[in-house]
Amino acid sequence: MVFADHSQSAHYAGGLSLQEIAEQHREADRLNKAYKGKFRILKGIEADILADGSLDYPNDTLETFDFVVASVHSRFKLPKKEQTERIIAAIANPRTTIIGHMTGRQLLRRPGYDLDVDKVLKACAKHGVAVEINAHPWRLDLDWRWHQKALDQGCIFSINPDAHSIRELDHMHWGVEMARKGGVPAKRVLNAMRLTALLAHLARRRQTS
């Protein structure tokens, strides 16, 4: 099981303080020890991408996580060039594992931010950062019409429910269906990997960036 709460900038969504992260990690370590390999919890966080492309925790904190989802939750109206460079800077951070809801769109609510998606996909492929297929019905981002382009670039994906409650974990089926519509094979999806393959990918990401 992997989990990723919001980070400290997203205080409105219960983002975790440094103290809360330490408490959560101690509990995960306790449970992993108790399960003795029969069940594994991976520690994650959805870190905010700040305006300059940095993430909203210091590096020594980010290094305590098994994986980091980097997402934009503010400054949606930056010019296209600045928004693109901001996200590419976050992708180049060796602590970033997944780029979350890449375009920021919310269906029937708001359009995505102005972004050069092609350049961002190339950066994800270059650095081995997974492109999120966000399964929340309001998002469905990255849109399936970009999936073949991402595959052609060499990208990998991660299907995530963007759940804010236990009930919303069931969003996953929308993400799976959208990945199928976009022609994404299971072998290119992080959470379809066996644990050993996933851990090897996470280790390579840190070593090669």
Side-chain angles (χ1 to χ4, degrees):
M1 184 185 81
V2 302
F3 59 86
D5 280 306
H6 277 288
S7 59
Q8 57 188 354
S9 294
H11 52 83
Y12 53 85
L16 299 185
S17 66
L18 295 178
Q19 179 180 345
E20 288 169 327
I21 288 171
E23 291 171 0
Q24 189 181 79
H25 285 190
R26 282 195 295 271
E27 182 65 7
D29 289 340
R30 184 187 70 79
L31 290 170
N32 281 334
K33 184 177 180 180
Y35 286 121
K36 297 178 180 178
K38 295 179 181 179
F39 187 80
R40 177 72 176 269
I41 296 170
L42 297 182
K43 307 166 191 170
I45 196 74
E46 183 180 12
D48 271 30
I49 302 174
L50 303 180
D52 64 355
S54 62
L55 304 182
D56 68 331
Y57 286 121
N59 287 340
D60 59 347
T61 299
L62 293 171
E63 288 169 358
T64 66
F65 295 98
D66 295 306
F67 71 98
V68 174
V69 182
S71 303
V72 168
H73 290 113
S74 63
R75 303 292 298 277
F76 299 146
K77 295 185 178 180
L78 286 177
K80 183 176 183 176
K81 184 174 184 293
E82 292 178 33
Q83 194 74 271
T84 300
E85 290 176 349
R86 169 194 191 184
I87 294 175
I88 289 175
I91 291 167
N93 187 321
R95 296 151 197 90
T96 299
T97 315
I98 302 165
I99 193 74
H101 45 75
M102 184 185 294
T103 72
R105 76 175 187 181
Q106 289 194 2
L107 297 171
L108 305 179
R109 292 178 171 179
R110 69 169 188 238
Y113 21 81
D114 202 6
L115 184 69
D116 189 328
V117 175
D118 194 45
K119 283 187 177 180
V120 173
L121 291 176
K122 288 178 180 177
C124 286
K126 175 183 176 181
H127 293 284
V129 169
V131 175
E132 181 183 61
I133 297 176
N134 188 298
H136 197 289
W138 286 114
R139 291 192 182 273
L140 302 180
D141 184 12
L142 186 68
D143 187 274
W144 70 272
R145 286 167 288 190
W146 281 103
H147 292 181
Q148 189 59 55
K149 171 70 79 171
L151 290 169
D152 292 343
Q153 297 284 10
C155 292
I156 55 175
F157 294 83
S158 178
I159 303 173
N160 304 331
D162 202 349
H164 291 76
S165 68
I166 293 174
R167 182 181 63 183
E168 290 184 350
L169 291 171
D170 287 340
H171 288 161
M172 279 295 290
H173 79 95
W174 297 116
V176 172
E177 289 173 22
M178 191 165 67
R180 287 174 174 168
K181 186 172 183 177
V184 178
K187 65 183 180 181
R188 298 282 281 273
V189 179
L190 285 186
N191 39 335
M193 293 180 179
R194 293 186 179 276
L195 178 62
T196 51
L198 176 59
L199 294 177
H201 168 79
L202 297 177
R204 284 195 302 273
R205 169 71 188 120
R206 293 189 177 191
Q207 291 169 2
T208 60
S209 300

